[in-house]
Amino acid sequence: MAIKKISILEFLELRKSCVVLDVRSPGEFAHAHILGAISMPLFTDEERKVVGTSYKQESRERAIKIGLDYFGVKMRKMVEEVEHIIQKNSCSKIIVHCWRGGMRSAGVAWLLDLYGFDVHVLTGGYKAYRKWIHQQFSVGYKFLILSGYTGSGKTLVLKSLKDKQEAAVDLEATAIHRGSSFGGMKEPQPTQEMFENKLGEALANLKVQSEEYIWIEDESQRIGNLNIPPPLWQTMRRGSVCFLDVPFEERLKHIVEEYGVVDKQDLIEATYRIQKRLGGLETKKCIEHLENERVTDAFEVLLKYYDKQYLKAFNKRGLHEHEIETIICKHVSGEENAEKLIVWKKMK
């Protein structure tokens, strides 16, 4: 079989029925990769460094010879690993890519083609994919911005909107963060590059028409350690704002149910992280409540603080009253409040 070179657009369609092999080094893959790709490194991180240094300081030919020394002993194992992957995925086609579609993908593609696999190579490699990802952030989306104080259940509402076949993007889920000092306690965030890959794919997968709306949560540009790409952020700022007006007591109850099960020491440490903004007295009061197992009292202090912060940030945007649609909600309910939003959208 002949090795087939494919463009990024062909790749995006073909990958649905193919195994995608990323032959970059383990470190490159761990930093960020194409969603769904399988790591099949030609070189270890150290080997890649040696080859790269030789290429820069000696010659292309010398670098290739060193690379062949590393590659030769791995050939059989690589073929057997690919055989196993093919059988496991019940798929006969393979797409290979490296960083730029250069020698690494060419070498692995040659080996797999020689053995008899149906091999495709992504022209431009991972770099071409990253260019496509960046393009997703400059599309003129029509966003409906889901706003509301902390504890309003915006994440639940977004999930319900998706369940009801509404186009929606959950930024906090993509960033693995909940937008506060307490938001990063559950698991580590991805790298900025991997966040962008996930977000770009999520937007592209919606396949919305130019006049269709997309629901997205009201966020600051920074979510934990990550940043919403500037072009997307500017488009979000032009979206219509829906404010979920949920009673304080209902929000407090929801927050206690969600975070009350978190380890007490983690909650105390998260409180210390906002000490400067929360103030010494309120910090002391909150920590005393936590130490004495008065979780509801502690979160009441914190929720009042976050309400002030949210209102301050919201007012800075300079939105006029007619630019904000307030949706009165009795409870924190994904199902019920999503229905209210859908009714409002139909009236726009």
Side-chain angles (χ1 to χ4, degrees):
M1 295 184 186
I3 298 170
K4 306 168 191 70
K5 291 189 176 183
I6 57 173
S7 68
I8 184 61
L9 295 180
E10 290 172 315
F11 165 81
L12 294 169
E13 185 61 34
L14 194 59
R15 67 173 172 173
K16 299 170 187 175
S17 58
C18 290
V19 168
V20 180
L21 300 180
D22 184 336
V23 302
R24 298 176 304 152
S25 69
E28 289 174 288
F29 184 88
H31 178 72
H33 53 267
I34 296 174
L35 273 63
I38 298 169
S39 181
M40 184 66 62
L42 174 60
F43 302 132
T44 65
D45 293 327
E46 184 57 34
E47 289 168 350
R48 172 176 172 255
K49 184 178 178 182
V50 172
V51 172
T53 301
S54 177
Y55 190 96
K56 290 179 181 178
Q57 297 182 359
E58 298 179 71
S59 67
R60 177 178 180 272
E61 290 75 18
R62 176 62 179 156
I64 290 174
K65 286 178 181 178
I66 293 172
L68 288 172
D69 287 339
Y70 293 142
F71 186 29
V73 295
K74 301 176 184 177
M75 287 183 176
R76 175 169 178 161
K77 183 182 178 185
M78 184 174 284
V79 166
E80 290 174 345
E81 285 182 4
V82 174
E83 276 186 316
H84 175 71
I85 291 169
I86 289 289
Q87 291 168 4
K88 183 180 177 182
N89 289 272
S90 301
C91 182
S92 61
K93 294 181 180 179
I94 299 167
I95 300 175
V96 176
H97 80 83
C98 58
W99 166 234
R100 288 180 296 189
M103 287 188 287
R104 285 187 287 178
S105 57
V108 174
W110 166 81
L111 172 65
L112 299 181
D113 175 68
L114 180 67
Y115 189 72
F117 292 117
D118 187 355
V119 184
H120 300 69
V121 174
L122 172 58
T123 302
Y126 178 70
K127 191 175 180 181
Y129 172 78
R130 284 290 295 165
K131 183 180 179 181
W132 174 78
I133 285 291
H134 283 296
Q135 289 170 349
Q136 308 315 304
F137 304 137
S138 298
V139 177
Y141 303 108
K142 291 184 68 175
F143 285 122
L144 294 176
I145 310 299
L146 185 57
S147 185
Y149 289 124
T150 299
S152 297
K154 297 186 288 292
T155 299
L156 297 176
V157 171
L158 282 171
K159 184 180 182 304
S160 289
L161 287 168
K162 287 183 179 181
D163 291 343
K164 297 175 187 296
Q165 307 307 309
E166 291 282 312
V169 174
D170 190 335
L171 287 171
E172 290 187 347
T174 307
I176 312 181
H177 199 271
R178 300 303 297 276
S180 73
S181 175
F182 299 83
M185 293 191 299
K186 296 185 178 180
E187 57 180 300
Q189 290 188 277
T191 62
Q192 176 68 30
E193 191 171 308
M194 195 64 207
F195 168 63
E196 291 172 4
N197 290 353
K198 292 167 65 179
L199 182 55
E201 293 259 14
L203 289 165
N205 288 339
L206 292 175
K207 292 183 171 59
V208 294
Q209 302 300 315
S210 59
E211 294 303 310
E212 288 184 72
Y213 287 106
I214 299 173
W215 296 97
I216 197 165
E217 187 173 347
D218 195 11
E219 291 284 354
S220 60
Q221 188 170 4
R222 193 166 180 83
I223 308 176
N225 297 319
L226 305 174
N227 289 300
I228 297 171
L232 182 65
W233 169 248
Q234 293 302 323
T235 305
M236 287 174 60
R237 276 296 182 255
R238 294 193 291 269
S240 300
V241 179
C242 282
F243 187 90
L244 295 180
D245 190 353
V246 183
F248 182 88
E249 291 302 321
E250 289 294 312
R251 292 189 288 115
L252 177 60
K253 184 168 68 174
H254 175 63
I255 288 290
V256 171
E257 288 173 357
E258 188 169 18
Y259 287 104
V261 296
V262 174
D263 180 79
K264 182 173 71 176
Q265 193 56 43
D266 287 340
L267 293 174
I268 290 172
E269 289 175 7
T271 303
Y272 275 125
R273 285 199 291 271
I274 59 170
Q275 183 175 2
K276 286 185 178 179
R277 288 170 290 164
L278 185 58
L281 182 62
E282 295 299 276
T283 300
K284 182 182 177 183
K285 190 188 298 183
C286 183
I287 289 172
E288 283 179 356
H289 288 323
L290 290 170
E291 288 175 338
N292 292 292
E293 306 297 336
R294 296 195 297 270
V295 178
T296 299
D297 292 335
F299 277 109
E300 183 174 358
V301 173
L302 292 168
L303 196 56
K304 286 178 180 176
Y305 158 76
Y306 277 113
D307 281 3
K308 288 179 184 177
Q309 293 296 311
Y310 199 99
L311 186 60
K312 184 178 178 181
F314 197 80
N315 289 337
K316 270 187 178 179
R317 291 169 60 180
L319 292 170
H320 298 293
E321 193 172 320
H322 69 273
E323 295 178 289
I324 306 167
E325 181 69 26
T326 299
I327 308 294
I328 303 298
C329 306
K330 294 181 180 179
H331 312 286
V332 176
S333 168
E335 175 77 20
E336 181 181 320
N337 297 337
E339 284 290 352
K340 290 185 177 183
L341 290 173
I342 292 171
V343 169
W344 170 77
K345 188 188 81 167
K346 288 178 180 177
M347 296 169 61
K348 271 184 71 65

